Amino acid sequence: MYNGVAENVLGTMGTIFWCIQLIPQIVHNYKRKDCEGLPPSMMFLWALSGIPFSIYFVGTDGSIPLRIQPQLFTLFCTISWSQTLYYPPVRLPKWRLVAYVGSFLVVALGLEFGFIFWLRPVYRHGTHWPMLVVGIVASVLLAIGLLPPYFEIWKRRGRVYGINFFFLSMDSAGALLSMISIIVGTMDIMSMVLYAIVLFLEMGIFLCQIVWYLAGGRQVIKKEKAERKEAKNFKELDLVKVDSDENTTYDQAEKEETSPNHV
């Protein structure tokens, strides 16, 4: 049964989640100064998918939120992709990083403007299949982008490492809410398939972590926390020792200078 209000509310909520879902991951990367476990290919494919998504939603005269969403999505994906190239384990030189990201943004803007000005008049005249192809390409890139994390999970024997679960939860919530909005509103098979694939792959990532945790991952996490705490305490003790040694050296030098026998 069609429900326009529910469709708009759920669709808007899903769009909001898909606009800001990567912010927790970006903050997570920045705090750790390390992107191990977060594949650069994932973030690049997602940033790449934002280009045809933008062409599709602008070219089909979508609503304002639908036009804004791929722009923000591409922006945050590009920032996260830049982090995966800058932080370990990749650690590209800054000039190469700027060259890669700058080239991508120039090409992205060129493709968006070119295809929108070319295909929007075609769509408005009733020929819809070119835009449908663009939408399918965007959906495929987004779905393929969720495959590299499974290789990282396989390398770590089921453990999800480097991916922020708050980000993953927001992304899954966005897919779920958008899918429900289609069910209660106007049915769009292509969008439905996209949201279902994204939700399925992300639920698989959650499931891998749960299985790993129950199969002994809890002990691994406890051990890592203990090692980090021990390393932190050792570092603090080392700093105190260095400071103490410097003070001792300074006191000895001061005594020598004030000694009557000092020349």
Side-chain angles (χ1 to χ4, degrees), residues 34-73:
D34 192 305
C35 289
E36 184 180 356
L38 180 65
S41 55
M42 172 188 178
M43 290 295 101
F44 175 73
L45 286 169
W46 275 20
L48 195 62
S49 73
I51 301 171
F53 270 128
S54 180
I55 295 169
Y56 179 81
F57 287 121
V58 175
T60 57
D61 297 317
S63 63
I64 297 299
L66 288 178
R67 297 186 192 192
I68 294 174
Q69 189 269 333
Q71 312 300 330
L72 292 175
F73 179 70

Side-chain angles (χ1 to χ4, degrees), residues 55-100:
I55 295 169
Y56 179 81
F57 287 121
V58 175
T60 57
D61 297 317
S63 63
I64 297 299
L66 288 178
R67 297 186 192 192
I68 294 174
Q69 189 269 333
Q71 312 300 330
L72 292 175
F73 179 70
T74 303
L75 171 64
F76 291 134
C77 285
T78 304
I79 292 173
S80 186
W81 175 50
S82 303
Q83 290 177 317
T84 64
L85 298 178
Y86 182 70
Y87 293 133
V90 178
R91 296 184 66 88
L92 282 182
K94 289 183 179 179
W95 70 268
R96 288 183 62 185
L97 174 64
V98 172
Y100 287 170

Side-chain angles (χ1 to χ4, degrees), residues 67-215:
R67 297 186 192 192
I68 294 174
Q69 189 269 333
Q71 312 300 330
L72 292 175
F73 179 70
T74 303
L75 171 64
F76 291 134
C77 285
T78 304
I79 292 173
S80 186
W81 175 50
S82 303
Q83 290 177 317
T84 64
L85 298 178
Y86 182 70
Y87 293 133
V90 178
R91 296 184 66 88
L92 282 182
K94 289 183 179 179
W95 70 268
R96 288 183 62 185
L97 174 64
V98 172
Y100 287 170
V101 176
S103 300
F104 171 77
L105 292 176
V106 170
V107 172
L109 289 173
L111 288 173
E112 283 192 26
F113 282 109
F115 275 96
I116 288 170
F117 283 117
W118 173 33
L119 294 180
R120 182 156 60 176
V122 175
Y123 181 85
R124 288 175 175 175
H125 281 87
T127 305
H128 294 173
W129 69 263
M131 278 300 181
L132 180 61
V133 172
V134 171
I136 291 172
V137 170
S139 303
V140 170
L141 288 172
L142 185 66
I144 292 176
L146 281 168
L147 296 180
Y150 281 93
F151 290 101
E152 294 291 332
I153 293 169
W154 177 76
K155 287 195 301 185
R156 292 172 175 79
R157 298 182 179 180
R159 183 181 187 181
V160 180
Y161 188 84
I163 296 179
N164 183 271
F165 282 101
F166 190 33
F167 140 66
L168 205 62
S169 299
M170 292 176 67
D171 198 64
S172 298
L176 180 61
L177 290 169
S178 298
M179 189 164 62
I180 296 174
S181 73
I182 293 174
I183 293 173
V184 301
T186 305
M187 182 58 67
D188 184 337
I189 300 299
M190 189 190 74
S191 299
M192 191 74 175
V193 171
L194 165 65
Y195 297 136
I197 291 174
V198 169
L199 191 60
F200 174 78
L201 291 173
E202 290 182 340
M203 288 299 102
I205 295 175
F206 278 112
L207 183 61
C208 288
Q209 181 70 357
I210 293 171
V211 172
W212 174 83
Y213 185 82
L214 296 176

